[in-house]
Amino acid sequence: MADTMQFDLVSPERRLASLQVTSVQIPGADGDMTAMEGHSPTITTLRPGLLTVEGPEGTSEFVVTGGFAEITATGVSVLAERAVAKGDMTQEHLDEMMEEAKTMYSKAKETFENEPGPVDDAAKLLADMVAMGDHMGLTAKQ
């Protein structure tokens, strides 16, 4: 069996997980990545998606909407803006997340008129939320 490492997932509301795991699949803003014991130290931002952890007790999945992941040789700590265990995710949760993303997009368009960078980032966040819902079989309201 592969060596394990410490994994912690924290959101503003609570600690969702503190486990010994063999790997963590992270939805990074610059691309998905998998961290295992001995990984080079890295800090990455998260995009909306599924965070998957595998360990001796099986696989766990969490929906995250953003935040940061710190990877060290001995573990992974994730500070998520919002996180929900995939099994607890409902259409209502997705609707709330989509409304937040739509509001951010509208504010970016108003605030950064003729400045594509922040508006593009907000549009990508919204698209990532739709893709995440589709992946889980939930439908984003248009």
Side-chain angles (χ1 to χ4, degrees):
M1 182 166 100
D3 292 329
T4 61
M5 62 183 176
Q6 181 63 35
F7 168 73
D8 293 296
L9 172 60
V10 179
S11 74
E13 296 85 28
R14 64 189 172 112
R15 176 181 296 235
L16 279 91
S18 182
L19 313 163
Q20 287 294 309
V21 300
T22 53
S23 69
V24 180
Q25 296 173 2
I26 301 167
D30 294 325
D32 293 351
M33 62 189 322
T34 301
M36 301 172 82
E37 189 201 25
H39 195 285
S40 297
T42 306
I43 295 178
T44 186
T45 54
L46 303 176
R47 65 168 171 75
L50 288 178
L51 182 99
T52 305
V53 295
E54 296 181 16
E57 277 115 48
T59 301
S60 299
E61 294 181 305
F62 301 91
V63 175
V64 295
T65 60
F68 298 91
E70 179 182 19
I71 304 166
T72 65
T74 59
V76 177
S77 295
V78 176
L79 292 94
E81 291 173 2
R82 191 169 193 179
V84 178
K86 183 182 176 193
D88 295 340
M89 187 70 176
T90 64
Q91 184 67 49
E92 183 178 317
H93 284 114
L94 180 63
D95 293 344
E96 288 174 18
M97 292 175 184
M98 287 296 301
E99 281 305 312
E100 289 174 16
K102 287 177 185 176
T103 299
M104 288 177 62
Y105 178 64
S106 294
K107 286 182 181 178
K109 283 194 331 186
E110 289 174 18
T111 305
F112 300 101
E113 189 174 342
N114 297 322
E115 295 180 49
V119 176
D120 292 344
D121 292 345
K124 181 167 180 351
L125 173 71
L126 189 55
D128 285 345
M129 295 294 290
V130 170
M132 179 181 67
D134 289 346
H135 179 74
M136 292 185 317
L138 300 175
T139 305
K141 292 181 182 176
Q142 299 300 327

